[in-house]
Amino acid sequence: MTIAFELTDDLSSIPPNEWQALSGQQPFTQHAFLLALQSSACIGPSTGWHGRHLLLRRDGRLAGAMPMYLKTHSQGEYVFDHGWAHAFERHGLAYYPKLVSAIPFSPVPGPRLLASTHEDRVLLAKYAAHLTRQQGLSSLHVLFPCESDRQALDEAGFMMREDIQFHWQNQSYHDFEDFLSRLNQKTRKKLRQDSKKVAQAGVTFRWLEGKQIDQADLAFFYHCYADTYLVRGRHPYLNLDFFQRLLRDMPEALFIVQAWRNEKPIACALSLRDKQTLYGRYWGSTEFVPGLHFETCYMQAIAYCISQGLLRFEGGAQGEHKLSRGMMPIRTHSAHWIAHPAYAKAIQDFLQRETTAVGQYMNALQEHSPFRRADAD
């Protein structure tokens, strides 16, 4: 059997059905999602995300793939390595460009080594590290890999890093009130008060799924989303063309919460979903209403998950405030291969100490569970 590797910067050159046979059901690894990023120019030479997708073929058949990018910065990754870059620069070494296997602008745990066997996942990881060294690059970083990928990356000699996100888990709740009843009295009272204040401000909510979303809905969402960047003097990572392509090519993955007041929309949150999980992603508003962000992005999302029987709601990166909305801390991971032996050793030492600190932080968060003690246990 002949095994061959190749690189491509153009996902349109890969038949979607071949990619889909490896990628699973998560929306962020879908061929359509990654191609939308490329075709809308959200990634590309002008953005510092240069496609370097790694393909593994067995006798000409696509047996593995690794979405990968050559990066000239660390923006849009949500795994912060600026300190490592500064250390390289202080000693006259180039940290950039580097290779990154990730879903651009999406801190969502999931598959990164797209293959059906552990053997092929290890082959992808080892060849990507070999490629990093061969091309004279400083490092290779695999961000938010799933458990099966972590096992392969560990076997391939990568160093592991831990962080924390906050996810909501559906404990077979009958309805939203059932969920609230499982929270401790202080948290339950606060959430009900917050929801009441938003309602008293005259705000109502609408849910839109898939083909219920039209171009006007999408345009309003994008206006809200872009404004969250522009008010900080930054340009948004994603453009309207990207979201229009998602609506055209994978509408079943889109879910929008609209907040209305005085017969007009004033806020919007767009999430992606699959058969088990809702992934909270993008939000913005045209008016300030106290508590509107939490109600639109989190409480409406949780209510939707319960109504649809979804198992999880992933609320994105960071945010201790999510704990008080019934979202519990979970560990996330990244894997790192550093070409320079001395810096690899120094970073390994740092990661060991950081992992201890993350564990301590996790324990502290769990001690402040918003659930009643019996339900928290």
Side-chain angles (χ1 to χ4, degrees):
M1 179 174 290
T2 302
I3 297 176
F5 293 93
E6 63 184 77
L7 287 175
T8 181
D9 61 358
D10 183 10
L11 281 165
S12 67
S13 66
I14 306 170
N17 62 317
E18 293 185 16
W19 184 277
Q20 290 303 116
L22 302 170
S23 65
Q25 296 302 310
Q26 193 187 68
F28 301 93
T29 55
Q30 301 298 299
H31 188 273
F33 184 92
L34 295 171
L35 183 60
L37 287 169
Q38 174 187 306
S39 301
S40 62
C42 291
I43 60 168
S46 64
T47 68
W49 291 80
H50 305 259
R52 293 291 188 276
H53 309 297
L54 178 61
L55 308 179
L56 164 63
R57 297 190 183 275
R58 290 180 177 274
D59 292 337
R61 179 184 62 84
L62 187 65
M66 192 172 178
M68 198 158 62
Y69 302 89
L70 186 71
K71 290 290 303 296
T72 56
H73 54 69
S74 292
Q75 298 171 17
E77 298 176 11
Y78 301 93
V79 175
F80 303 106
D81 61 351
H82 300 92
W84 302 358
H86 294 158
F88 270 66
E89 292 166 5
R90 284 195 299 269
H91 292 86
L93 298 175
Y95 189 70
Y96 304 109
K98 62 179 183 177
L99 277 174
V100 174
S101 177
I103 308 302
F105 322 119
S106 299
V108 175
R112 301 293 179 262
L113 308 174
L114 310 183
S116 58
T117 69
H118 176 73
E119 177 188 7
D120 284 345
R121 286 190 286 272
V122 173
L123 284 174
L124 282 168
K126 287 184 175 180
Y127 190 83
H130 163 74
L131 194 66
T132 304
R133 185 183 297 279
Q134 184 185 61
Q135 296 189 355
L137 304 175
S138 70
S139 51
L140 166 62
H141 310 266
V142 183
L143 310 184
F144 303 103
C146 63
E147 172 61 28
S148 60
D149 285 356
R150 294 203 306 273
Q151 294 174 8
L153 290 160
D154 183 65
E155 187 173 325
F158 283 66
M159 299 181 289
M160 294 296 161
R161 188 177 190 183
E162 291 189 356
D163 202 352
I164 287 174
Q165 289 185 3
F166 294 83
H167 295 179
W168 175 85
Q169 303 284 337
N170 192 344
Q171 303 297 326
S172 301
Y173 299 119
H174 302 301
D175 51 31
F176 190 72
E177 279 299 313
D178 185 23
F179 160 64
L180 290 179
S181 73
R182 312 282 187 96
L183 300 170
N184 61 46
Q185 193 273 340
K186 179 181 177 181
T187 302
R188 184 169 60 250
K189 180 179 178 181
K190 179 70 165 57
L191 292 184
R192 284 182 168 150
Q193 287 176 337
D194 290 347
S195 296
K196 184 177 181 180
K197 289 177 182 177
V198 172
Q200 289 175 338
V203 177
T204 58
F205 294 95
R206 297 181 184 180
W207 293 352
L208 300 172
E209 300 176 280
K211 294 184 179 180
Q212 294 175 338
I213 303 168
D214 61 26
Q215 291 298 326
D217 297 320
L218 203 61
F220 175 71
F221 153 74
Y222 190 78
H223 170 73
C224 293
Y225 159 76
D227 192 58
T228 62
Y229 287 84
L230 296 175
V231 296
R232 299 183 180 92
R234 299 168 54 197
H235 290 287
Y237 287 130
L238 303 169
N239 56 35
L240 179 57
D241 184 28
F242 166 73
F243 291 104
Q244 289 173 332
R245 290 173 184 273
L246 292 190
L247 183 60
R248 182 192 68 192
D249 297 335
M250 45 190 301
E252 70 287 347
L254 301 186
F255 169 63
I256 282 180
V257 176
Q258 290 180 342
W260 285 64
R261 184 162 73 164
N262 297 327
E263 299 183 353
K264 67 176 183 178
I266 64 168
C268 200
L270 184 147
S271 301
L272 277 76
R273 62 160 294 179
D274 54 31
K275 294 181 179 180
Q276 294 187 321
T277 306
L278 184 69
Y279 306 90
R281 300 265 39 87
Y282 319 105
W283 130 277
S285 66
T286 60
E287 297 181 16
F288 174 75
V289 176
L292 182 62
H293 170 256
F294 298 120
E295 192 70 21
T296 307
C297 293
Y298 303 134
M299 307 320 295
Q300 291 294 312
I302 290 173
Y304 174 78
C305 287
I306 295 172
S307 74
Q308 299 293 304
L310 299 181
L311 302 182
R312 289 177 297 277
F313 170 55
E314 298 187 9
Q318 306 158 331
E320 291 180 6
H321 59 273
K322 296 169 187 171
L323 191 66
S324 64
R325 270 75 192 175
M327 304 171 72
M328 293 298 291
I330 65 102
R331 282 182 169 85
T332 59
H333 301 81
S334 56
H336 307 270
W337 188 90
I338 310 297
H340 195 293
Y343 281 85
K345 182 178 179 181
I347 288 173
Q348 179 68 74
D349 178 67
F350 165 78
L351 292 178
Q352 289 174 349
R353 290 181 281 112
E354 185 185 53
T355 298
T356 299
V358 169
Q360 293 170 344
Y361 179 48
M362 172 71 85
N363 292 337
L365 289 170
Q366 290 174 334
E367 290 176 1
H368 293 84
S369 169
F371 291 91
R372 297 182 307 182
R373 184 165 298 277
D375 292 286
D377 293 341

